[in-house]
Amino acid sequence: MRDKPNESLTRTASTGPSPGGAGGGDGGTESAERFLPGAIVSERYRIRGRIGVGGMGEVYHADDLRLGVAVALKFLNLASAGDPARLQALVDEVRVARQVAHPNVCRVYDIGEVDGLPFLTMEFIDGEDLASLLRRVGRLPAPKLVELAHQLCAGLAAAHQAGIVHRDLKPANIMVDGRGIARIADFGIAVPAGTPTEGEVSGTPAYMAPEQRRAEAPTPASDFYALGLILYEAAVGARYVERPDGEVALPGIHEALARGISYCLESDPERRPKSALEISALLPGGNLLAATLEAGGTPSPELVAVSGDSRGLSGRAAGGLLALAVAGLAAVIWLAGTAQIVNRVPLAKPPAVLVDRARDLLARTAPGVSRRHEAWDFGYDDSAFEAAVAERKGSRYWESLRDRRPPPIVFWYRTSPHVIAPPDLTGNLYSDVPPLDVPGMSLVVLDTEGRLLKLRTVPADVETGRKAGEGTDAGDSAGVALWPALLQMAGFEPDSLRETVPREVPPAYASERRAWVGEWPGGGGGGRAVRIEGSALAGQPIEFRAGVPDRAKTAEAMKVAAASI
């Protein structure tokens, strides 16, 4: 089974407010604070202290006495306050920023004035800007970088959906709070996409796209280029320097991450990603389908197309393309990738329902496992796809695949008494990575209808269980109730199966082994044979698997299918 990760990546702790504040800019010449701690502004805001100062003004941390929340106040300096253009820019910043509402975008609330000085109120972020963070740590570890990239893509997607181009995306305008959550800030020069620039160049030169330096009309592609520069700097620890050959060198960086960064840094804006969703889909853990379903949405045509972009193919998938090129329909499946899968094989239930199903299943059959930490995601069953190719039925192929059992798309859910940490710098979690080797861990694999395909547990006390099962019928007597329950959870009627001799080796010591053969039920089963194996220790399931793949027969069937085309 091939699956995609859903992970909680390493968090970077905060060391307190930085000069960037909540979108306070790059910093600048220090000056005396206009407001001292304790001062009341506009009879509503109590100043806590200054957190940023720059060329256009200052940013203060304050308490909103009316609402009882912390806010940041951004003031224009005296020179800027008297400039109608600067004042209009402040008004425009509020107007534009309020059109974008997203957890990865710094919220801007309102505009006010005190003693002739205009200011805007915005979300206070207890953390530091990315520029300060990178100066402090040099570069980000891969898990944190991947997490940051997905968050920035999400924030940019919200801005672009509102028709807004940021135009000044840079590390100093990205705030990272104490929980590691990133927010895009400072929409001071943001404009609607396509707004004529009238020959004026706006932005920070070090983070401008080539067309932005040429004063061309702003488009989302310019933000994507800036995003690529930011991710490159965070990955390498130094700013990107364009090479004559246009190659983006990222040695030692995760292949998918390097591919996404290189894609953003295409000099021709037409060759860059078409959306922030496309960038996120290319990155490790880019399971947009799961994210969309979790939010209660339906995958859009754009999302479906993005998920199948050939740029996202791994080396393994690319090799599969070459090997299956002669197989006609098989090549179509691999080339179409996720796009065809999502489009043709709709998921029956959203992730939240499947998570509840997995939790209930564990509570009923393995109450001893720990659910202190959880992880889940969707996966793709290679053997089901291979068998589907071998069993293709002309024009009705996709119809048969949609309801096929065993299913091509599966859902996995893991639990652990400890944090389920990625085993390496890729930051990836899978159904079997890291391995289930800690007492109390468990894995549940379901089809998208919520039917059980696989259950694996690591007993919390193997020695106690071993002694309880040895020399007694404890395991067998418990199994009388256990196995019918598991079979029914997998969608089988026990009476429809024939018990046979087990042949799979359990992953851990087991006092009982059982096996059944029969057919997959329902129209989606198509009369296909199924083998089910299970093992248990003192009444607790060690492993239960419905449909153990026989890869030798599958491979032979593939050869026959290819030869017949």
Side-chain angles (χ1 to χ4, degrees):
M1 180 179 71
R2 179 187 303 121
D3 47 34
K4 294 186 177 181
N6 170 278
E7 63 268 17
S8 296
L9 301 181
T10 305
R11 303 289 188 183
T12 300
S14 167
T15 58
S18 70
D26 294 318
T29 303
E30 292 292 337
S31 61
E33 295 186 28
R34 182 180 292 117
F35 302 102
L36 296 178
I40 304 297
V41 174
S42 294
E43 300 182 347
R44 177 173 178 175
Y45 305 103
R46 182 171 54 215
I47 300 296
R48 287 195 175 193
R50 189 172 68 177
I51 56 178
V53 57
M56 286 185 60
E58 302 170 285
V59 180
Y60 286 84
H61 178 196
D63 292 318
D64 184 333
L65 300 178
R66 183 176 302 172
L67 298 180
V69 297
V71 296
L73 306 181
K74 179 179 179 179
F75 288 86
L76 290 180
N77 59 28
L78 292 173
S80 299
D83 183 346
R86 295 291 193 188
L87 179 58
Q88 185 60 47
L90 192 70
V91 174
D92 290 343
E93 180 176 356
V94 176
R95 176 180 52 80
V96 169
R98 288 188 63 169
Q99 298 178 48
V100 186
H102 191 274
N104 296 118
V105 174
C106 180
R107 290 173 290 176
V108 175
Y109 301 130
D110 206 348
I111 193 167
E113 183 178 309
V114 58
D115 298 331
L117 293 175
F119 66 91
L120 61 80
T121 59
M122 67 182 80
E123 176 183 10
F124 172 73
I125 301 171
D126 186 10
E128 62 184 318
D129 62 63
L130 182 60
S132 172
L133 177 61
L134 292 178
R135 285 194 298 268
R136 184 165 56 82
V137 303
R139 62 189 181 92
L140 299 182
K144 178 59 189 175
L145 179 58
V146 171
E147 181 183 31
L148 175 78
H150 282 300
Q151 292 176 3
L152 295 180
C153 286
L156 273 182
H160 294 164
Q161 186 175 9
I164 302 300
V165 179
H166 191 283
R167 292 206 301 171
D168 199 20
L169 200 64
K170 57 186 177 182
N173 286 340
I174 296 170
M175 296 299 300
V176 183
D177 69 17
R179 297 177 299 152
I181 305 300
R183 292 176 179 81
I184 299 172
D186 201 340
F187 283 76
I189 63 171
V191 295
T195 301
T197 60
E198 299 179 353
E200 293 185 1
V201 176
S202 298
T204 301
Y207 297 94
M208 284 184 184
E211 69 276 10
Q212 198 173 356
R213 294 193 291 267
R214 296 191 296 265
E216 296 178 5
T219 67
S222 300
D223 284 346
F224 300 148
Y225 190 89
L227 176 63
L229 293 174
I230 292 168
L231 297 180
Y232 180 95
E233 185 174 340
V236 176
R239 289 183 179 177
Y240 171 67
V241 177
E242 189 171 353
R243 295 169 44 154
D245 59 6
E247 182 181 352
V248 180
L250 284 162
I253 303 300
H254 187 283
E255 178 186 355
L257 182 57
R259 185 187 307 118
I261 295 174
S262 299
Y263 194 10
C264 289
L265 292 177
E266 290 278 2
S267 58
D268 182 356
E270 294 298 322
R271 292 179 57 82
R272 289 180 213 143
K274 298 302 183 287
S275 72
L277 296 181
E278 182 177 358
I279 302 171
S280 190
L282 293 176
L283 301 175
N287 196 332
L288 299 180
L289 172 63
T292 301
L293 292 174
E294 184 177 25
T298 301
S300 66
E302 177 192 35
L303 181 57
V304 172
V306 163
S307 298
D309 195 302
S310 63
R311 292 177 183 263
L313 289 174
S314 65
R316 178 183 175 189
L321 274 175
L322 181 62
L324 294 175
V326 297
L329 184 59
V332 172
I333 294 176
W334 284 98
L335 182 61
T338 311
Q340 291 286 3
I341 298 167
V342 173
N343 199 27
R344 300 288 189 172
V345 190
L347 304 184
K349 300 184 186 301
V353 173
L354 297 175
V355 168
D356 285 342
R357 171 67 172 168
R359 289 171 177 165
D360 177 67
L361 188 150
L362 286 174
R364 293 169 59 188
T365 61
V369 302
S370 172
R371 280 178 36 204
R372 184 175 181 182
H373 297 278
E374 303 171 303
W376 60 263
D377 212 326
F378 289 95
Y380 307 94
D381 192 322
D382 290 337
S383 61
F385 283 123
E386 293 169 357
V389 171
E391 297 171 2
R392 71 193 190 289
K393 298 179 180 179
S395 61
R396 295 192 55 79
Y397 170 74
W398 287 114
E399 287 79 357
S400 65
L401 184 62
R402 180 183 294 116
D403 302 318
R404 193 181 193 281
R405 296 189 69 186
I409 296 180
V410 299
F411 177 86
W412 60 264
Y413 167 86
R414 292 187 57 169
T415 73
S416 172
H418 309 298
V419 174
I420 308 175
D424 53 37
L425 293 180
T426 65
N428 292 347
L429 293 178
Y430 299 93
S431 61
D432 56 355
V433 177
L436 277 77
D437 54 7
V438 175
M441 279 186 167
S442 69
L443 166 68
V444 177
V445 179
L446 308 172
D447 66 15
T448 58
E449 289 282 358
R451 292 174 293 223
L452 177 64
L453 294 170
K454 181 177 179 179
L455 171 63
R456 168 85 188 279
T457 73
V458 183
D461 191 341
V462 174
E463 289 303 318
T464 300
R466 187 197 306 267
K467 293 176 182 177
E470 286 179 349
T472 71
D473 62 354
D476 295 334
S477 61
V480 170
L482 173 67
W483 302 120
L486 289 174
L487 291 171
Q488 289 175 350
M489 291 175 187
F492 295 92
E493 289 298 330
D495 293 342
S496 68
L497 301 170
R498 176 173 60 85
E499 192 156 0
T500 186
V501 178
R503 66 186 184 194
E504 294 291 317
V505 178
Y509 174 79
S511 58
E512 179 187 9
R513 296 170 60 196
R514 304 283 287 272
W516 300 263
V517 292
E519 295 182 352
W520 288 97
R528 283 181 287 273
V530 63
R531 182 179 183 86
I532 304 170
E533 297 241 2
S535 56
L537 175 62
Q540 176 173 323
I542 298 297
E543 187 174 51
F544 176 89
R545 299 177 64 183
V548 179
D550 188 336
R551 292 193 176 274
K553 290 184 178 180
T554 300
E556 184 61 31
M558 289 282 287
K559 293 178 183 178
V560 173
S564 65
I565 294 177

